[in-house]
Amino acid sequence: MLGPVDGRELAATDLERVALGTMAPDFTLAKFGGGTTTLSALRGKKNVVLVFYRGYWCPYCIAQLKEMRMLLSDELRQDTEMLVVSIDDDKGTQTAMSRITADGQKADFVFLSDPDHAVIARYGVLNPAGSRRGIPHPATYVIDKKGMVRWRDIQTDYKIRPTNAEVLTAVKALPAR
């Protein structure tokens, strides 16, 4: 079953819902290129940087994801998975990926599609004023190997994003085990 494991009845916009120190809501979403990704399958194995972005058409999102390609060192990549979620279908995701990698530098993200914005709503980051149906407020979560939210940045101004330094500080602060 794709989407969130629980909480489908919750309000779609509640920016405080997924608070620091709480378990990240579990979900399964379709992965670009085929297959699915389930957040809880990474528990005990990897930390997660979870990014909700507005879509392939958003220049601020593309700029953020271009920057995030350089976030993790090879050493940190062994312990940390980057999941990026939007409502984009495969065609939109391919467009985003092409824009992000236009300079030839690879993006080591797992692109996930939430076309019905069920996971976006479960995390409470749905933008009700968005000009496109189902887009999220830009949001970034750092989740430890136990599935606990250790850091987050949620913006109601789509032009503001966390810096790589801020996200990297949060990732490096996670317990080694």
Side-chain angles (χ1 to χ4, degrees):
M1 176 178 98
L2 295 181
V5 171
D6 67 358
R8 289 181 183 268
E9 72 287 351
L10 297 170
T13 305
D14 178 358
L15 302 182
E16 299 303 317
R17 177 177 304 136
V18 181
L20 296 178
T22 63
M23 290 297 288
D26 195 18
F27 61 81
T28 300
L29 287 174
K31 181 170 42 172
F32 178 71
T36 60
T37 294
T38 300
L39 181 62
S40 61
L42 297 169
R43 286 193 190 138
K45 299 174 188 167
K46 291 203 171 198
N47 301 309
V48 175
V49 176
L50 176 63
V51 178
F52 290 95
Y53 72 101
R54 294 161 44 92
Y56 70 91
W57 46 269
C58 174
Y60 299 96
C61 298
I62 298 305
Q64 176 190 23
L65 294 175
K66 275 185 177 181
E67 278 292 311
M68 292 190 95
R69 295 178 304 178
M70 297 171 263
L71 178 70
L72 300 176
S73 65
D74 289 340
E75 181 181 340
L76 286 174
R77 274 192 193 97
Q78 294 174 18
D79 244 12
T80 307
E81 189 77 46
M82 289 190 62
L83 306 177
V84 295
V85 179
S86 77
I87 60 171
D88 291 343
D89 59 12
D90 277 353
K91 184 178 177 186
T93 301
Q94 181 61 57
T95 300
M97 189 179 282
S98 295
R99 290 175 178 168
I100 293 164
T101 61
D103 61 2
Q105 187 172 342
K106 184 179 174 189
D108 288 336
F109 314 138
V110 176
F111 284 87
L112 301 174
S113 180
D114 186 17
D116 298 327
H117 54 79
V119 174
I120 292 165
R122 175 60 180 94
Y123 274 72
V125 296
L126 184 81
N127 182 354
S131 59
R132 296 179 188 235
R133 184 182 168 276
I135 65 170
H137 286 294
T140 303
Y141 296 86
V142 174
I143 302 165
D144 70 16
K145 289 180 184 178
K146 294 179 181 177
M148 192 80 57
V149 176
R150 296 296 178 186
W151 184 88
R152 69 184 190 149
D153 182 275
I154 303 167
Q155 297 296 330
T156 56
D157 181 343
Y158 66 89
K159 296 177 184 176
I160 300 173
R161 307 301 165 96
T163 65
N164 271 4
E166 292 169 319
V167 179
L168 189 57
T169 297
V171 170
K172 287 182 174 181
L174 295 174
R177 298 245 171 220

